[in-house]
Amino acid sequence: MVAAGQGNVLASRLIHRAHAEAGWYLYAPSCALVEADRARPGTAEHLAALPGLTVLDLDLPAALALARRETWAAAHTQYAAQPTPERHEGAIIATTLPKRWEGEPVRVLELGV
């Protein structure tokens, strides 16, 4: 999310596709949105206003998953990436820090630096 606020081209393309193309979805776990805003103030408000982005609430199952990771953002993101009835294969985590997810049961899309 911070990468999008800093003008990362690949992040911008993902945001555009989620807005312009059917079948493309972009999710922002609320805990990750908070962490991004702390790193770069204004990021959360900007991203939450984008029409192609869905902010995921911190519901009870997500809250229970928070203890499994070092940060709330990482925990909520990992939880959101798990398979669901709507997303049988789970979601892909788009990140500039792919090493953060090594060894985790998630799929990762590296956005570069």
Side-chain angles (χ1 to χ4, degrees):
M1 293 180 206
V2 173
Q6 293 174 329
N8 180 291
V9 174
L10 295 175
S12 295
R13 287 180 184 167
L14 284 175
I15 292 167
H16 173 73
R17 286 190 116 166
H19 174 69
E21 294 187 32
W24 277 80
Y25 304 97
L26 199 56
Y27 303 100
S30 55
C31 291
L33 200 58
V34 169
E35 187 173 300
D37 200 69
R38 287 180 177 167
R40 186 174 171 85
T43 299
E45 187 174 350
H46 174 73
L47 291 176
L50 296 173
L53 188 104
T54 301
V55 176
L56 299 176
D57 293 332
L58 180 62
D59 58 11
L60 180 58
L64 295 174
L66 292 181
R68 298 186 192 131
R69 296 288 304 188
E70 60 205 47
T71 68
W72 285 33
H76 199 189
T77 300
Q78 183 174 353
Y79 173 79
Q82 299 307 305
T84 67
E86 298 81 30
R87 296 183 308 275
H88 299 289
E89 295 181 19
I92 298 170
I93 298 173
T95 181
T96 58
L97 303 170
K99 290 194 182 287
R100 178 184 220 184
W101 299 102
E102 284 182 354
E104 298 296 336
V106 295
R107 296 178 299 154
V108 173
L109 171 65
E110 184 175 355
L111 296 178
V113 182

